[in-house]
Amino acid sequence: MHNGFTLFTKKVPSGKTVIYYYAYDEDGRRLGHWTTGHENKTVARNYCNKLNREGKLLPCATGIPTLAEFTADFWDWEKVFI
C-alpha cells in the first residue's frame, strides 16, 4: 500500500523541473495531478505529507472550489495545472 500520493517531476514552460503529485481516494483510485510548487523532492514529499495530515491532499475533496481558489495560480506558470 502507498502513502496516499505518488510524486513525479515535470518540466514547466520556463524550463524548470517542478514536482507534481497524484493522490488516491478511499477506493484506491488515482486522482489528479497537482503541483507541489517545489523543485526539491524531499521538500515536495514533506509538503504532501502535511497536506495529507490536514486532509487537504485531494484539493476538491471538500466540494467545488470557489472561483478565487480555482484561478489562484492562473497566471503563475510555475504552478500551472497542465
Side-chain angles (χ1 to χ4, degrees), residues 28-72:
R29 291 180 296 208
R30 186 176 79 175
L31 303 173
H33 64 277
W34 296 280
T35 184
T36 65
H38 300 285
E39 298 178 61
N40 179 288
K41 200 166 191 173
T42 301
V43 174
R45 182 176 291 111
N46 291 339
Y47 171 78
C48 288
N49 283 327
K50 179 179 182 284
L51 288 178
N52 200 16
R53 283 191 305 273
E54 295 172 353
K56 298 178 182 177
L57 195 59
L58 295 171
C60 295
T62 58
I64 299 171
T66 66
L67 181 60
E69 292 169 338
F70 183 74
T71 60

Side-chain angles (χ1 to χ4, degrees), residues 10 12-14 16 18-20 33-38 47 69-82:
K10 186 174 185 178
V12 294
S14 69
K16 286 175 49 175
V18 178
I19 309 294
Y20 282 74
H33 64 277
W34 296 280
T35 184
T36 65
H38 300 285
Y47 171 78
E69 292 169 338
F70 183 74
T71 60
D73 297 320
F74 185 78
W75 294 108
D76 188 343
W77 287 103
E78 302 305 322
K79 296 182 179 179
V80 68
F81 297 94
I82 298 177

